[in-house]
Amino acid sequence: MRYANNYRRDFQLATLYSVLNKFFDVLPEVLIGVAVDIVVNGEKSFLAREILGQFGITQTWHQLILLGALNAVIWMGESWFEYLLCLRWRKLAQNLQHDLRLDAYDHVQKLDMAYFENQRTGNLMSVMNEDINQMERFLNGGANQIIQVICSSIMVSTVFFVLQPKLAVIALLPVPAILFGAFWFQKKLAPRYAKVREAAGDVSARLNNNLLGLATIKAFATEEFEKQHIAQASAAYKDANAAAIAVSSAITPVIRMAILAGFTATLVYGGWLTLHNELAVGAYSVLVYLTQRLLWPMTGLAEVADMYQRSMSAIERAMNLIDTKIQISYDGKKLTTSEVKGEIRFENVSFSYADHPTLQNINLTISSGKTVAFVGSTGSGKSTLVKLLLRFYSPQSGQILLDGQASDQINLQDLRRVIGYVAQDSFLTDGTIAENIAYGINNASDEAVYEAARAAEALEFIEKLPLGFATKVGERGQKLSGGQRQRLALARAILKDPPILILDEATSAVDNETEASIQRSLDVISKNRTTIIIAHRLSTIRNADLICVLENGKMTETGTHQTLLQDQGIYAALWKLQTGERTF
């Protein structure tokens, strides 16, 4: 309802069209009774006596001609409003679905990285795509059906009570039982469809995982093994659906039995009243047809209840996602690139993943315009330090300051805009070379893109591509080599021209030639900007102003390349291991 409030007029018009469509839909049954009355009573029919007689139209044939014309108008009216209601309800469904999906995606983007450690990408995709699509199914038909069942009940009941109150009471007796049954089944379906949506998310997660890892699956010849995994997830989905179907399939037969009682009562008792001249033949015909018109659509409540519960189970998952609390605030003091000097200070910073300590009491000042490198074994906390600076996570204790301001007091988007980040596995969009270099930068000129590519030494391979800068790189840049992707990521950071540059293992997956070209680029672009480098290859950071060695989350050594070699500590041992050189 919160989302629908933005489309109040669409809801009102859709509801009006549903009501008018049902009004015209009920009238043909009334016309049947009028036609029977005309044929049986001729010039003494109800229509001739009460309405047409005033205009001198009493002949039976003329009455039938007018009735036929009126019937044509009614059917055209019903068809017209059927078109309008379908148009409105479906447009409304698309709008609500669009808004909800955008809100869900926008919210997911704002969640801290810790949230995703316990989530599967495929499951999140299932929520934002398949689950939200379930709302469309209900609004396309279910909402209209509920409105029309209510309208037909009111309209038909009115005709019943006007023509024969006693028969009306008998015919309407099954209605409470039908409604109770529909709601009872709905409650039974709720937990079953919740399991169906969870199982659907599991299937989506497994498929997504396998498609992303297809090269590994092929390399290890585990196609049959992974097929069994998919089969297990699909079987669980099938079984969850079967449990829901066992209940949903029983709704219509149960409701049909209640309808049978009401229809039989009208047929038999109405016939008895007609035989005893307490009910006109035409009125009897109307009531028999209207009983079916009143009760039979209620079998649709079974389908509506099923559709509604499917939709609600899915939408609840989407709403739960949107209700997930955002741990890291986006609000804070505004910051512009021009005012940033680039001094970074870590004060007693500690951080743990769950119960596993990763960083312990880190104290470090990185002066503006200096290049600082972090080295250490895998899991020592190097990348975590950078993620804290980018506020992907918040430290459990201590603080990080940028130019003397606590980073958690700075507007999050502004903080990230002043930092250029090149990751080990850089994300590339399924766009062109130029679009990926200019990613996140509005209105970047072709000249600026070209210069950034040149500075990153990416021109050599770009100009050999069939379409040059207009070449599509494929999903996640799969048409490019690892080194080519890294050069594009570096060109992107160069074009951004940030006061702070972070390189997180940017050369770990490239060959020596590519590493050398990236290193030349770094020597140029790191001048006059604060640069943080995380590296396993010590040759790439030997010219850094300061090198920090992390071990088990603690900073154990700091100094320049030469001083650390002379200290004969962990860094010197790593250098000797990688180069085979003597350290003194």
Side-chain angles (χ1 to χ4, degrees):
M1 293 304 296
R2 183 179 65 195
Y3 283 89
N5 194 50
N6 296 326
Y7 302 97
R8 187 177 302 171
R9 178 170 171 77
D10 286 326
F11 254 114
Q12 291 169 346
L13 287 174
T15 302
L16 176 63
Y17 296 149
S18 294
V19 171
L20 290 173
N21 171 257
K22 180 50 63 177
F23 173 74
F24 281 101
D25 185 48
V26 168
L27 287 179
E29 272 69 24
V30 177
L31 293 187
I32 291 172
V34 175
V36 171
D37 184 53
I38 291 172
V39 171
V40 172
N41 296 315
E43 295 181 359
K44 296 181 180 180
S45 70
F46 173 83
L47 190 63
R49 285 185 290 106
E50 300 295 333
I51 302 175
L52 297 181
Q54 302 175 31
F55 303 98
I57 302 174
T58 56
Q59 290 186 18
T60 304
W61 178 241
H62 290 166
Q63 292 182 59
L64 289 174
I65 289 175
L66 284 173
L67 197 64
L70 181 60
N71 182 61
V73 171
I74 289 171
W75 279 88
M76 285 189 288
E78 180 191 359
S79 299
W80 174 242
F81 287 114
E82 176 79 18
Y83 166 73
L84 291 178
L85 75 87
C86 287
L87 205 63
R88 282 289 173 176
W89 281 117
R90 290 179 181 178
K91 178 184 176 183
L92 189 59
Q94 293 299 323
N95 285 334
L96 292 179
Q97 179 179 285
H98 172 74
D99 290 352
L100 184 57
R101 180 177 289 114
L102 283 185
D103 270 8
Y105 176 72
D106 184 55
H107 189 81
V108 165
Q109 288 190 123
K110 294 177 180 178
L111 294 172
D112 61 292
M113 298 303 291
Y115 171 81
F116 298 97
E117 294 170 5
N118 299 315
Q119 299 292 327
R120 292 177 294 178
T121 303
N123 190 54
L124 290 173
M125 288 175 62
S126 176
V127 172
M128 290 187 285
N129 189 28
E130 297 171 24
D131 287 350
I132 291 176
N133 285 345
Q134 291 292 325
M135 180 168 61
E136 178 184 2
R137 293 185 58 206
F138 175 71
L139 286 177
N140 276 352
N144 170 65
Q145 201 164 345
I146 290 174
I147 291 170
Q148 293 203 333
V149 166
I150 294 171
C151 289
S152 64
S153 300
I154 294 171
M155 294 173 187
V156 172
S157 299
T158 301
V159 175
F160 258 84
F161 278 104
V162 169
L163 295 178
Q164 180 49 253
K166 292 181 182 178
L167 187 58
V169 172
I170 295 173
L172 293 174
L173 279 176
V175 172
I178 292 170
L179 295 176
F180 174 80
F183 285 113
W184 185 85
F185 275 108
Q186 179 198 317
K187 289 183 179 179
K188 291 291 183 182
L189 284 169
R192 287 171 169 80
Y193 277 132
K195 292 180 180 179
V196 169
R197 298 317 310 159
E198 290 295 331
D202 289 341
V203 172
S204 182
R206 174 59 67 178
L207 287 171
N208 180 72
N209 183 71
N210 283 16
L211 289 174
L212 290 175
L214 203 54
T216 302
I217 292 172
K218 288 178 177 293
F220 282 83
T222 55
E223 289 92 340
E224 191 61 33
F225 176 74
E226 292 299 340
K227 179 183 174 182
Q228 291 302 316
H229 277 177
I230 298 298
Q232 290 172 7
S234 184
Y237 176 65
K238 181 186 71 174
D239 293 342
N241 256 315
I245 290 169
V247 176
S248 65
S249 298
I251 305 177
T252 299
V254 171
I255 291 178
R256 187 176 284 139
M257 292 301 101
I259 291 170
L260 173 64
F263 184 74
T264 303
T266 304
L267 189 69
V268 175
Y269 183 58
W272 185 87
L273 291 174
T274 304
L275 289 173
H276 289 77
N277 298 319
E278 294 184 31
L279 187 65
V281 174
Y284 174 61
S285 303
V286 171
L287 294 178
V288 169
Y289 281 111
L290 285 181
T291 302
Q292 188 174 13
R293 177 64 68 169
L294 168 66
L295 298 178
W296 191 252
M298 290 190 177
T299 58
L301 288 175
E303 181 183 352
V304 172
D306 182 72
M307 199 184 306
Y308 170 79
Q309 204 52 63
R310 279 181 181 269
S311 297
M312 281 307 300
S313 297
I315 295 304
E316 281 177 9
R317 280 175 26 107
M319 298 307 292
N320 287 338
L321 177 60
I322 290 175
D323 289 339
T324 302
K325 187 177 180 181
I326 297 174
Q327 300 293 338
I328 297 178
S329 173
Y330 272 61
D331 298 328
K333 182 181 177 182
K334 301 298 288 184
L335 186 69
T336 60
T337 302
S338 59
E339 66 184 277
V340 175
K341 297 178 180 178
E343 183 193 72
I344 301 167
R345 192 159 73 246
F346 295 85
E347 294 184 347
N348 298 314
V349 172
S350 296
F351 179 78
S352 300
Y353 290 104
D355 296 327
H356 178 66
T358 307
L359 293 173
Q360 302 177 51
N361 297 319
I362 300 297
N363 287 281
L364 176 68
T365 297
I366 302 174
S367 299
S368 173
K370 299 298 183 179
T371 297
V372 175
F374 292 98
V375 299
S377 59
T378 300
S380 60
K382 305 183 300 296
S383 293
T384 300
L385 207 59
V386 165
K387 290 174 181 177
L388 291 176
L389 176 58
L390 284 162
R391 289 186 63 201
F392 291 165
Y393 302 91
S394 293
Q396 275 87 33
S397 62
Q399 63 177 347
I400 301 172
L401 297 95
L402 173 60
D403 293 338
Q405 298 182 68
S407 63
D408 58 1
Q409 300 300 312
I410 300 172
N411 179 277
L412 185 57
Q413 295 288 62
D414 287 349
L415 174 68
R416 290 172 179 170
R417 287 191 181 102
V418 303
I419 299 175
Y421 179 55
V422 182
Q424 180 179 355
D425 182 19
S426 293
F427 168 75
L428 296 183
T429 67
D430 187 13
T432 64
I433 296 283
E435 288 169 346
N436 272 283
I437 293 176
Y439 182 72
I441 301 172
N442 297 325
N443 304 319
S445 67
D446 292 341
E447 292 78 12
V449 170
Y450 180 89
E451 285 302 316
R454 185 185 60 77
E457 298 200 16
L459 281 181
E460 181 181 356
F461 84 85
I462 292 175
E463 292 177 341
K464 290 180 181 178
L465 296 172
L467 299 177
F469 281 89
T471 303
K472 293 270 190 179
V473 302
E475 185 179 18
R476 299 184 65 84
Q478 62 184 355
K479 293 181 181 180
L480 303 178
S481 69
Q484 289 170 339
R485 288 197 295 271
Q486 285 300 86
R487 292 191 206 189
L488 289 188
L490 187 58
R492 177 190 293 170
I494 293 170
L495 183 61
K496 187 177 181 180
D497 192 24
I500 300 170
L501 179 64
I502 297 175
L503 303 167
D504 188 357
E505 302 283 9
T507 62
S508 63
V510 299
D511 55 46
N512 291 332
E513 182 183 351
T514 303
E515 180 188 349
S517 66
I518 291 177
Q519 188 60 49
R520 287 193 297 271
S521 300
L522 292 180
D523 291 341
V524 174
I525 66 172
S526 62
K527 290 180 180 179
N528 301 319
R529 83 179 75 233
T530 303
T531 305
I532 296 175
I533 303 174
I534 294 174
H536 276 297
R537 295 184 181 182
L538 303 186
S539 57
T540 62
I541 50 99
R542 62 186 300 171
N543 295 324
D545 297 303
L546 181 68
I547 298 172
C548 304
V549 181
L550 287 172
E551 200 66 31
N552 297 320
K554 297 180 180 179
M555 196 170 297
T556 56
E557 298 178 20
T558 59
T560 63
H561 173 73
Q562 290 300 327
T563 58
L564 288 175
L565 290 183
Q566 293 171 5
D567 289 344
Q568 292 293 298
I570 296 174
Y571 181 84
L574 289 173
W575 178 263
K576 184 176 182 180
L577 183 66
Q578 289 187 16
T579 64
E581 297 180 11
R582 294 179 60 85
T583 59
F584 56 90

